[in-house]
Amino acid sequence: MQNKPLVSVIMSTYNTNKEFLKLSIDSILNQSYENLELIIVIDGGNDDKYIKENYHDERIRIIKHTKNMGLPKSLNEAIKQSNGEFIA
């Protein structure tokens, strides 16, 4: 059996409604394809506290900005930090 390639799923968040944040993270982590890393850029907000308190999945990596850098810069940083063969 071949190893499945790692997929890096990237997202950026900035003081996102907790219900939407939960739906987004759960949707990604509950995929049938499990060989993934979820890179979440906290773009100057405080969403990292919620994520750290509610998720203990080693596939999640958090990058935190101290100030809002904007979506393009945040996603580009997540791409640079990704280890996957594919990026979603």
Side-chain angles (χ1 to χ4, degrees):
M1 182 171 147
Q2 278 187 320
N3 291 335
K4 294 182 179 181
L6 179 66
V7 174
S8 297
V9 181
I10 62 173
M11 67 182 285
S12 179
T13 180
Y14 175 72
N15 294 334
T16 302
N17 174 291
K18 301 307 180 235
E19 182 179 331
F20 294 142
L21 187 58
K22 179 181 180 353
L23 287 170
S24 298
I25 294 171
D26 289 348
S27 174
I28 294 164
L29 296 178
N30 292 327
Q31 294 293 312
S32 59
Y33 191 90
E34 296 180 345
N35 192 24
L36 59 87
E37 64 177 355
L38 172 56
I39 302 172
I40 304 172
V41 179
I42 311 299
D43 194 22
N46 57 11
D47 296 322
D48 58 315
K49 182 178 177 185
Y50 171 82
I51 296 167
K52 289 176 182 176
E53 289 175 354
N54 292 281
Y55 293 93
H56 306 285
D57 191 311
E58 71 247 6
R59 297 175 295 171
I60 296 175
R61 290 185 20 218
I62 295 175
I63 300 169
K64 183 168 172 99
H65 292 166
T66 55
K67 65 178 187 166
N68 186 274
M69 303 296 289
L71 185 60
K73 286 186 179 183
S74 294
L75 295 180
N76 282 331
E77 182 174 354
I79 289 169
K80 288 177 187 174
Q81 298 289 327
S82 66
N83 297 310
E85 186 174 339
F86 301 102
I87 298 174

